Amino acid sequence: MELQDKMRIVQELVPGKQVTLAHIIANPDPVLYQKLGLDPKTDYSRSAIGVLTVSPAETAVIAADIAMKSSNADLGFVDRFTGTLIITGTVSAVDSAFTAIMDYVQDKLGYSVVEKTRT
């Protein structure tokens, strides 16, 4: 085989500055809390779970801080290696936290953000 018949592919992961998912699960079934390892003492009748992913992954720590300071939401899980943040609370608290997070990272850090979704 000659040199021109060979193709070499080099792949790199170049994370962007972005919020890739911001989803609110309103009134989730209690089993979802249990499967996620979240606090089982939550008042399920008025609750919500918020799932947010962000890149670069370390931004999840900043997002968790903003969520706690901007609303009455509780921190369920934060992973600085995958960029995943899970918060719990009332639907309005989770929604307020996501709004504050997305406003901050978009306006102050120059991130692109997705639209919040809800089920």
Side-chain angles (χ1 to χ4, degrees):
M1 204 181 244
E2 292 187 29
L3 187 58
Q4 68 238 27
D5 293 335
K6 295 182 181 181
M7 182 171 27
R8 181 175 181 192
I9 298 173
V10 177
Q11 294 180 322
E12 293 182 36
L13 175 62
V14 182
K17 294 179 1 177
Q18 59 190 341
V19 174
T20 55
L21 175 71
H23 186 77
I24 299 169
I25 303 168
N27 299 313
D29 192 279
V31 74
L32 186 54
Y33 281 88
Q34 295 164 353
K35 295 295 183 178
L36 290 172
L38 300 172
D39 185 3
K41 296 177 185 173
T42 302
D43 180 3
Y44 298 120
S45 65
R46 331 180 291 113
S47 61
I49 298 173
V51 181
L52 183 128
T53 56
V54 64
S55 174
E58 298 84 359
T59 310
V61 176
I62 297 167
D65 180 57
I66 293 168
M68 300 302 97
K69 290 177 178 176
S70 66
S71 71
N72 288 327
D74 295 312
L75 182 60
F77 175 78
V78 61
D79 187 344
R80 70 182 188 273
F81 300 110
T82 64
T84 301
L85 172 67
I86 297 176
I87 59 175
T88 61
T90 63
V91 173
S92 62
V94 173
D95 186 69
S96 293
F98 276 6
T99 297
I101 291 166
M102 302 213 324
D103 287 349
Y104 182 84
V105 298
Q106 186 174 33
D107 297 342
K108 301 290 185 188
L109 300 178
Y111 283 36
S112 60
V113 299
V114 296
E115 184 178 335
K116 286 183 290 185
T117 56
R118 180 174 153 181
T119 55

